[in-house]
């Protein structure tokens, strides 16, 4: 390969890698809403899969375009895969999952017959007396145990499960409290929903 042809080889291989990797990552993020690797952030799983796909492409492409440097190029790229996995593993990530710096509980999804409402932790939601709603905690990890309590005695169908059906009590307000124990090495988390009960 001449020096002139080598001048476009590196930009070409890198641009193709970035394009394919970006397409893979966006597609996986759209298709996979949970991590396929236990106790790992979904973004990390998607990044590992995207980097793996690009690595296979590079093994084919760069061997022909960069015959003298492709082994070093592939070796450097291969190191990115365990690095991406390390960043996303909840128990050892330096990003702060296991220390609680990144919270496990993201909020709640309140499912009503007419519409769904996403609320933050400790936020208030208005419900009518006698209404029936489903409540789901929005969690970072995918493996955890939950315990719900109602301050005013609201009806909870299965308070020891994470997704519950709730009927407000005969009161002006209620506070739903949730305790979460993760099986991924994350700290225990607590959350609550303030309920304003309309007549």
């Amino acid at each position: 390969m001449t020096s002139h042809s080598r001048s476009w080889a590196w930009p070409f291989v890198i641009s193709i890698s970035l394009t394919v990797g970006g397409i893979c990552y966006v597609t996986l993020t759209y298709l996979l809403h949970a991590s396929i690797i236990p106790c790992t952030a979904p973004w990390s799983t998607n990044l590992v899969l995207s980097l793996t796909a690009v690595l296979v492409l590079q093994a084919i492409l760069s061997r022909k375009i960069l015959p003298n440097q492709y082994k070093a190029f592939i070796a450097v790229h291969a190191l990115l895969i365990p690095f991406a996995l390390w960043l996303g593993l909840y128990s050892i990530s330096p990003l702060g999952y296991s220390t609680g710096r990144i919270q496990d509980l993201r909020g709640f999804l309140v499912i009503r017959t007419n519409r769904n409402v996403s609320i933050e932790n400790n936020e208030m939601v208005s419900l009518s007396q006698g209404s029936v709603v489903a409540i789901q905690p929005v969690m970072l990890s995918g493996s955890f145990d939950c315990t719900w309590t109602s301050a005013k005695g609201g009806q909870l169908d299965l308070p020891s499960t994470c997704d519950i059906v709730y009927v407000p009590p005969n009161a002006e307000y209620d506070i739903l409290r949730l305790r979460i124990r993760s099986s991924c090495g994350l700290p225990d988390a607590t959350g609550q929903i303030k309920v304003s009960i309309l007549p």
Side-chain angles (χ1 to χ4, degrees):
M1 181 178 289
T2 66
S3 60
H4 175 72
S5 60
R6 277 199 300 268
S7 65
W8 59 264
W10 278 103
F12 177 74
V13 171
I14 292 173
S15 62
I16 289 295
S17 298
L18 290 174
T19 301
V20 172
I23 291 172
C24 287
Y25 184 82
V26 170
T27 302
L28 289 169
T29 302
Y30 178 76
L31 295 177
L32 301 177
H33 301 290
S35 179
I36 62 173
I37 302 175
C39 298
T40 306
W43 66 263
S44 176
T45 300
N46 296 342
L47 187 57
V48 166
L49 293 174
S50 301
L51 288 170
T52 302
V54 172
L55 181 62
V56 172
L57 175 66
Q58 287 176 346
I60 298 169
L61 190 63
S62 61
R63 182 190 298 261
K64 298 176 181 177
I65 299 176
L66 301 168
N68 297 325
Q69 299 108 339
Y70 84 93
K71 288 183 180 179
F73 185 57
I74 289 177
V76 170
H77 180 84
L79 291 175
L80 294 175
I81 295 174
F83 180 73
L85 186 60
W86 172 62
L87 287 178
L89 280 171
Y90 294 137
S91 58
I92 62 173
S93 172
L95 300 180
Y97 294 109
S98 62
T99 62
R101 191 166 71 229
I102 296 178
Q103 294 295 317
D104 196 11
L105 178 63
R106 294 304 162 105
F108 299 93
L109 180 63
V110 180
I111 303 171
R112 313 188 207 201
T113 53
N114 53 346
R115 66 190 178 101
N116 299 341
V117 179
S118 295
I119 60 173
E120 300 293 325
N121 185 22
N122 205 33
E123 195 173 348
M124 180 174 288
V125 64
S126 296
L127 300 174
S128 301
Q129 273 187 9
S131 61
V132 179
V133 297
I135 302 176
Q136 298 175 349
V138 180
M139 303 293 297
L140 178 68
S141 62
S143 182
F144 43 86
D145 297 315
C146 299
T147 304
W148 288 88
T149 58
S150 168
K152 295 293 185 177
Q155 295 180 33
L156 305 170
D157 64 335
L158 294 171
S160 60
T161 60
C162 293
D163 299 345
I164 60 165
V165 174
Y166 169 70
V167 179
N170 185 15
E172 294 182 355
Y173 73 95
D174 193 8
I175 298 177
L176 293 174
R177 293 186 175 91
L178 173 64
R179 182 173 178 82
I180 302 160
R181 183 180 298 274
S182 172
S183 62
C184 290
L186 298 172
D188 290 354
T190 57
Q192 69 176 23
I193 302 173
K194 299 173 182 177
V195 183
S196 174
I197 303 172
L198 306 175

